[in-house]
Amino acid sequence: MLKTKVKANSITNLTDARYFAAWEVEWLGFNLNQGAADYIEPTLLKAIKEWVDGVKFVGEFDLSSADEVNEIIQTLGLDAAQLGMFTPLATFQQLEYATTLFKEIVIEKETTLAAIKTHIEAFAPYVKAFVLNFDKNNISWSDAQSHNHLDVAQLTTLCQAFPIIFSLTMPPSTLIDFLAEVQPFGWSVKGGAEEKVGFKSFDELDDFFEVLEEEV
């Protein structure tokens, strides 16, 4: 069992899916935006779904319409959808009763806590959790700390008010203290390409999950 819920993003292969499922992550995410570097064909996603048990499957979309999201979710039998930073509120309102929804918020160096809260408050009635994505702009925890508006105390306050999942790179030794203090809803990690079919090194992710693993 892990100390926090984990969502694995942008999975493109069965090797990743099995690895994350073995660590008992809560959600497996798959990029369904055609043309994206880590796009996965729906037929491959469906095949992976038949091989992996015990996790929830999430379709990841950027600017797809509510009808498009609904069709894909129903066709593939997915459990949830994650919608992008610029997906309009109307799309969430149309999907409110159709599926479990996540909302990505991409963090930039100039992003303030006030701006994050304003964004969250507009979408909160329709969203299960918000993914604060620092990684998309290569903002590490040390970078974030250099901005006083994103310190631990204020992020803790944000997590007390809203379900927050962090996509944020930090050393495993720092992660455990961060989780204890901030107490987010969950954490996000990313899949990657196989070195060859069926083989991949998971050394960095092993360090991450070993820190998160609860002692029995």
Side-chain angles (χ1 to χ4, degrees), residues 27-32 40-50 55-61 68-82 98-102:
W27 306 281
L28 298 182
F30 300 84
N31 190 333
L32 292 167
I40 185 169
E41 291 285 350
T43 51
L44 177 54
L45 194 168
K46 190 172 184 179
I48 290 173
K49 190 170 180 289
E50 292 174 356
V55 292
K56 299 181 180 71
F57 287 77
V58 183
E60 298 168 348
F61 306 87
E68 290 169 332
V69 173
N70 265 333
E71 181 179 357
I72 293 173
I73 293 293
Q74 292 170 10
T75 299
L76 298 179
L78 303 182
D79 301 294
Q82 177 176 307
T99 187
T100 299
L101 300 176
F102 296 84

Side-chain angles (χ1 to χ4, degrees), residues 8 20 30-31 33 79 83 85 87 92 94 102 115 120 124 131 151 164 175 187 189 197 207 209:
F20 290 123
F30 300 84
N31 190 333
N33 299 291
D79 301 294
L83 305 186
M85 173 76 176
T87 301
F92 282 84
Q94 292 168 37
F102 296 84
I120 287 176
V131 180
D151 62 19
I164 303 295
L175 175 62
W187 207 264
V189 295
V197 176
D207 292 342
F209 281 112

Side-chain angles (χ1 to χ4, degrees), residues 160-201:
Q160 289 171 342
F162 303 102
I164 303 295
I165 296 173
F166 284 95
S167 179
L168 173 60
T169 299
M170 66 173 61
S173 57
T174 303
L175 175 62
I176 197 66
D177 291 335
F178 184 93
L179 290 174
E181 186 166 359
V182 178
Q183 297 187 24
F185 183 74
W187 207 264
S188 173
V189 295
K190 188 174 182 179
E194 295 174 300
E195 296 173 27
K196 59 183 180 180
V197 176
F199 179 80
K200 181 179 174 182
S201 173

Side-chain angles (χ1 to χ4, degrees), residues 87-90 92-93 96 99-105 115-131 158 160-164:
T87 301
L89 180 61
F92 282 84
Q93 292 170 330
E96 180 181 7
T99 187
T100 299
L101 300 176
F102 296 84
K103 175 75 165 71
E104 180 186 42
I105 299 177
I116 295 171
K117 288 183 68 176
T118 298
H119 195 132
I120 287 176
E121 286 167 353
F123 289 85
Y126 312 101
V127 172
K128 180 178 182 65
F130 294 89
V131 180
L158 187 69
Q160 289 171 342
F162 303 102
I164 303 295

